[in-house]
Amino acid sequence: MNRSLLVAKAFAQTSRASLSRPLVPARGVHSTRTLLKESPEHELDWEEFFQLRKQRRLWERVGALPCAMLGLSGGAALFATLPVDPQQMFMGLDPMLLFGGSSLFCGALGFAIGPSVGRKCYRIMSTQTAKMLDHKEAEFFKHIKANRSDPSLSSASNPLPDFYGEKISSLHSYRKWLRKQREHERKGTFSLGSKRK
């Protein structure tokens, strides 16, 4: 009986002590987004960097579609209001064909501008994350520049693979990129040596 009373008292004291302490979240429980919001000095690791880079590219791709539609509809509205004489040719072309082509050109221009608009929207929506991403991207490009194969070793049979590392989307693809760079360097050096002989 005394023993169970002692266990109950010990349990009550431990629970009171644990309630009086402030709750500290366990390490590794937070998602990337909450960690980034809570600590402004948080340094991105490479996995987070590649995830955020994918997210930014998605924003850029999504931004291209509305800009293309806006350009196409704006061009069509502009050229629809211009007076057209179907009998008169313009630079040897039918005016309707020329106006239709110009409207399509406006849509293509909007599609080309769209990724920049998407990137700008991403920067506005997540300013702190974008700053950290820019900082890590500068570091990433330093790695790319340091490990890139010499472009002078390129030839028609040995083109330089992914000069800016744009296709790298994870650590695994980065290692693959490194292997391709070494292979390019080895092939280029070998062919250069055989030419000198």
Side-chain angles (χ1 to χ4, degrees):
M1 188 74 175
N2 281 342
R3 189 172 179 191
S4 63
L5 199 70
L6 285 172
V7 169
K9 279 184 181 178
F11 178 73
Q13 286 174 350
T14 351
S15 61
R16 262 192 241 114
S18 65
L19 285 173
S20 63
R21 278 197 316 259
L23 290 175
V24 179
R27 206 179 158 102
V29 172
H30 289 295
S31 68
T32 306
R33 189 165 288 170
T34 53
L35 266 175
L36 293 176
K37 283 180 185 172
E38 284 176 5
S39 57
E41 298 300 318
H42 172 72
E43 182 71 27
L44 291 176
D45 65 10
W46 291 110
E47 288 297 330
E48 288 173 334
F49 166 70
F50 287 123
Q51 281 297 114
L52 289 172
R53 201 172 178 215
K54 280 180 191 173
Q55 192 178 15
R56 188 182 64 190
R57 281 187 179 166
L58 181 67
W59 274 78
E60 290 171 1
R61 288 179 185 148
V62 168
L65 294 174
C67 287
M69 295 305 291
L70 191 66
L72 185 64
S73 58
L78 174 72
F79 293 116
T81 58
L82 293 176
V84 178
D85 183 10
Q87 301 294 326
Q88 189 178 2
M89 301 292 269
F90 185 74
M91 290 193 305
L93 293 171
D94 181 30
M96 295 304 289
L97 184 68
L98 186 67
F99 288 169
S102 300
S103 299
L104 287 175
F105 176 75
C106 289
L109 189 64
F111 188 77
I113 293 170
S116 301
V117 174
R119 184 180 278 230
K120 193 68 177 170
C121 290
Y122 176 78
R123 292 184 75 81
I124 290 168
M125 295 299 285
S126 50
T127 312
Q128 189 65 35
T129 309
K131 283 180 185 175
M132 287 189 288
L133 188 61
D134 288 344
H135 176 69
K136 197 70 171 179
E137 198 161 38
E139 189 181 335
F140 173 69
F141 284 128
K142 281 180 189 171
H143 283 284
I144 294 293
K145 192 176 177 183
N147 294 305
R148 183 189 296 147
S149 180
D150 186 7
S152 65
L153 298 173
S154 297
S155 64
S157 61
N158 186 31
L160 182 63
D162 196 10
F163 188 76
Y164 293 107
E166 292 170 345
K167 295 175 186 171
I168 299 172
S169 59
S170 65
L171 287 173
H172 174 70
S173 57
Y174 176 68
R175 290 186 194 105
K176 202 172 180 180
W177 180 86
L178 283 173
R179 283 194 297 272
K180 284 183 180 177
Q181 296 299 315
R182 299 295 77 84
E183 187 181 337
H184 173 267
E185 203 167 277
R186 184 180 52 78
K187 282 181 183 177
T189 309
F190 179 74
S191 66
L192 192 65
S194 63
K195 281 178 187 175
R196 282 178 182 167
K197 288 176 185 179

